[in-house]
Amino acid sequence: MAGEKILIVDDEEGMRRLLVRVLTREGFQAAAAESGAEAMRRIAGESFDLVITDIQMPGMNGLELLEELKAFDPALPVMVITAYGTVESAVQALRAGAYDYITKPFETDEIKLTVAKALERERLLAENRYLQQELQERYPFSGIVGGSQAMQRVFEVVDSVATSNANVLVTGESGTGKELIARSIHQRSNRRDNPFIVLNCAALSEGVLESELFGHEKGAFTGALATRKGRFELAHQGTLFIDEVGEMSLAAQVKLLRVIQEHEFERVGGTRTIRSDVRLVAATNKDLEEQVKKGAFREDLFYRLNVVNIELPPLRERREDIDPLVAHFLKKYVRETGRQVSQVSPRALSCLLAYEWPGNVRELQNVMERAVVLCKGEVITPRDLPQGIQGPEQICLELPESGGSLTEILEDLERQLIVQTLSRENGSQTRAAEILGIKRTTLRYKMEKYRMLD
């Protein structure tokens, strides 16, 4: 898209005029500065989308200007122009953050192509930054939906620990969202621009696990046809998330402990020591303290991993999050499948609220995907839910034989509904109120009205 503003910085007037003419013909707004100092003055007062600078200039040279520009605006793309034979300076510029370089003499088509690529890349980066910001504003914790007090406490701990380098142990039942919490920690940390690497210990045998953690050299074992980096190496200066850490063998635990203590390791079959700067977040659905007592998990490794503990509550203990989670997953799968499903019926929502959710949020997500796919109309009803979630037989209400006014009949039906719901829920007023879709205080009022309280 033409119209972007480009600043050309060169002490040669002929070169400035040439580049301004070429880029203006391409539809860009091209301006020129004859020195680094003038360029910085213009940058301070105007907004530019790209800077093209010569390296060899009196006073502030191109490399020094690049350093000033990156300090002023790290996101501003900079291209450098260098004379043939001084490519070393161009390489130095790339290391300092330049987007690309062009050597003199050059063809105008080369300039046009490189400028177009630089601006397209910047447009994509700007769009990505915008989308990331939108996502962060809507779901500030990696898309985790949770307004309950229990989840708000979790979010507070995530916020507090994210900017440190402390190791974190995330505990909780399967399906509670432990990896999402790990990603939230990474995205809110100073390592957010570096890799987030995942390793699931439960999916790997002991022999494979060591290779996955530390990598291996070519020929280290049968089938090792090439040198391969491990997760610690790939996660350098980023975050390594070790899921199901409780499944690690004691032998693997010893090797993991050494890396945590020494910040170095060797690949399998190798002798070269590799340094690693990695922030560790581990997760487990096991009681590691109990595993330590049984001798199945090393106590010293447990304390190394458990510097900060974040315990995720099961979904059944934060039922107030079910309704917004249902809405979130409904919108997600309607968008992905293109189905014309607009809502969940009150009866279906009551079934979802009453269910115990042994598989937690992951199970709810799967149920909502299934419901959207199977739904025949625009409203999800109990028949679109798995049999185990549909609940027991429908409550059967009987019309009074003696008749009566409409108000009296409705009140009698309401009383029956409350009685049968309370009976089905073993007298739990909280659960009954959730299923009936009313506040507990409203339920108490109606129970008093119908003389159902002692």
Side-chain angles (χ1 to χ4, degrees):
M1 181 177 69
E4 288 97 334
K5 290 181 67 176
I6 302 174
L7 180 63
I8 295 105
V9 189
D10 200 306
D11 61 316
E12 295 182 14
E13 184 179 0
M15 182 59 67
R16 294 198 303 274
R17 287 183 175 179
L18 170 65
L19 290 174
V20 167
R21 184 169 64 251
V22 168
L23 295 174
T24 300
R25 286 176 180 172
E26 289 298 301
F28 299 112
Q29 300 179 51
E34 63 179 358
S35 67
E38 183 185 350
M40 288 306 302
R41 284 195 296 272
R42 296 206 62 166
I43 290 287
E46 300 177 56
S47 177
F48 287 93
D49 300 293
L50 175 68
V51 173
I52 303 173
T53 179
D54 191 17
I55 286 185
Q56 299 298 327
M57 295 187 297
M60 183 189 298
N61 64 36
L63 293 177
E64 293 168 336
L65 174 60
L66 172 63
E67 185 177 345
E68 292 284 332
L69 289 171
K70 287 300 175 183
F72 181 80
D73 182 1
L76 178 64
V78 180
M79 287 171 47
V80 298
I81 300 175
T82 182
Y84 180 77
T86 59
V87 178
E88 301 84 7
S89 297
V91 173
Q92 188 178 350
L94 292 178
R95 289 173 177 168
Y99 166 73
D100 205 347
Y101 70 91
I102 295 177
T103 56
K104 297 178 183 177
F106 52 78
E107 299 290 335
T108 55
D109 286 344
E110 183 183 5
I111 284 283
K112 295 176 187 177
L113 180 61
T114 307
V115 166
K117 286 182 177 179
L119 291 172
E120 177 62 22
R121 175 177 177 271
E122 180 55 28
R123 281 193 291 271
L124 291 173
L125 289 173
E127 181 180 352
N128 183 61
R129 286 193 295 269
Y130 171 77
L131 292 174
Q132 289 288 343
Q133 183 178 351
E134 285 286 296
L135 182 63
Q136 182 71 11
E137 289 175 358
R138 291 188 63 190
Y139 302 114
F141 291 90
S142 296
I144 304 172
V145 178
S148 63
Q149 289 187 359
M151 288 306 296
Q152 290 304 310
R153 287 193 293 269
V154 168
F155 296 153
E156 287 173 6
V157 178
V158 169
D159 256 337
S160 298
V161 76
T163 53
S164 74
N165 282 318
N167 293 335
V168 178
L169 181 64
V170 186
T171 56
E173 296 178 7
S174 294
T176 48
K178 295 187 285 293
E179 183 174 336
L180 288 178
I181 290 295
R183 289 185 182 276
S184 290
I185 292 171
H186 174 73
Q187 290 173 7
R188 303 172 89 78
S189 73
N190 298 328
R191 299 171 179 262
R192 68 179 67 88
D193 296 326
N194 296 313
F196 177 86
I197 303 296
V198 178
L199 177 68
N200 189 333
C201 298
L204 302 171
S205 64
E206 182 176 344
V208 175
L209 179 60
E210 184 178 356
S211 176
E212 288 293 326
L213 278 171
F214 312 120
H216 60 253
E217 298 291 348
K218 180 179 179 181
F221 49 83
T222 303
L225 303 179
T227 297
R228 182 181 177 187
K229 292 181 178 180
R231 305 300 171 93
F232 266 101
E233 201 166 348
L234 294 172
H236 182 60
Q237 294 185 332
T239 302
L240 175 59
F241 174 57
I242 303 180
D243 199 8
E244 302 299 349
V245 71
E247 302 296 331
M248 267 190 176
S249 68
L250 288 171
Q253 291 175 34
V254 172
K255 294 171 182 176
L256 175 61
L257 179 63
R258 178 182 177 272
V259 180
I260 295 174
Q261 291 174 332
E262 306 296 333
H263 303 288
E264 61 184 29
F265 61 94
E266 294 83 36
R267 295 184 187 137
V268 176
T271 57
R272 183 170 67 91
T273 299
I274 300 171
R275 296 286 299 174
S276 180
D277 172 19
V278 170
R279 201 266 181 84
L280 273 180
V281 179
T284 182
N285 59 9
K286 290 187 173 183
D287 184 340
L288 287 192
E289 290 188 85
E290 187 63 29
Q291 294 295 104
V292 169
K293 293 177 183 176
K294 293 178 179 178
F297 201 87
R298 290 184 62 96
E299 185 176 22
D300 45 6
L301 177 58
F302 171 69
Y303 288 120
R304 285 283 186 175
L305 295 175
N306 195 40
V307 177
V308 177
N309 175 240
I310 298 177
E311 184 174 359
L312 294 185
L315 187 54
R316 62 184 173 275
E317 293 181 6
R318 53 181 184 106
R319 291 181 184 274
E320 58 266 53
D321 289 332
I322 293 176
D323 196 346
L325 280 166
V326 167
H328 170 70
F329 290 132
L330 174 64
K331 185 180 296 185
K332 169 183 170 66
Y333 290 115
V334 165
R335 184 174 61 249
E336 290 183 5
T337 62
R339 304 296 296 271
Q340 299 299 312
V341 182
S342 60
Q343 60 181 305
V344 178
S345 74
R347 178 63 188 164
L349 183 58
S350 294
C351 293
L352 295 171
L353 288 168
Y355 185 60
E356 286 299 300
W357 298 110
N360 293 294
V361 179
R362 186 185 297 130
E363 184 182 7
L364 175 58
Q365 180 175 356
N366 293 338
V367 165
M368 288 304 299
E369 182 179 13
R370 175 188 188 275
V372 170
V373 171
L374 295 181
C375 184
K376 301 299 183 184
E378 295 185 358
V379 180
I380 292 173
T381 64
R383 68 173 176 269
D384 301 315
L385 305 176
Q387 187 67 42
I389 298 179
Q390 290 180 17
E393 295 294 324
Q394 296 279 347
I395 291 175
C396 181
L397 304 180
E398 299 179 3
L399 288 171
E401 295 180 1
S402 59
S405 68
L406 178 60
T407 299
E408 289 171 338
I409 292 172
L410 290 176
E411 286 183 344
D412 186 66
L413 292 174
E414 184 178 57
R415 182 190 60 78
Q416 291 183 55
L417 180 60
I418 292 172
V419 168
Q420 292 187 44
T421 304
L422 283 167
S423 175
R424 196 177 72 180
E425 299 304 323
N426 299 316
S428 171
Q429 295 178 23
T430 300
R431 293 283 302 282
E434 288 176 350
I435 292 171
L436 293 170
I438 59 177
K439 293 180 179 179
R440 188 172 180 275
T441 52
T442 303
L443 176 62
R444 292 277 301 178
Y445 164 76
K446 292 181 180 296
M447 291 173 69
E448 290 177 359
K449 175 182 176 182
Y450 299 128
R451 300 180 180 178
M452 297 165 60
L453 296 174
D454 294 334

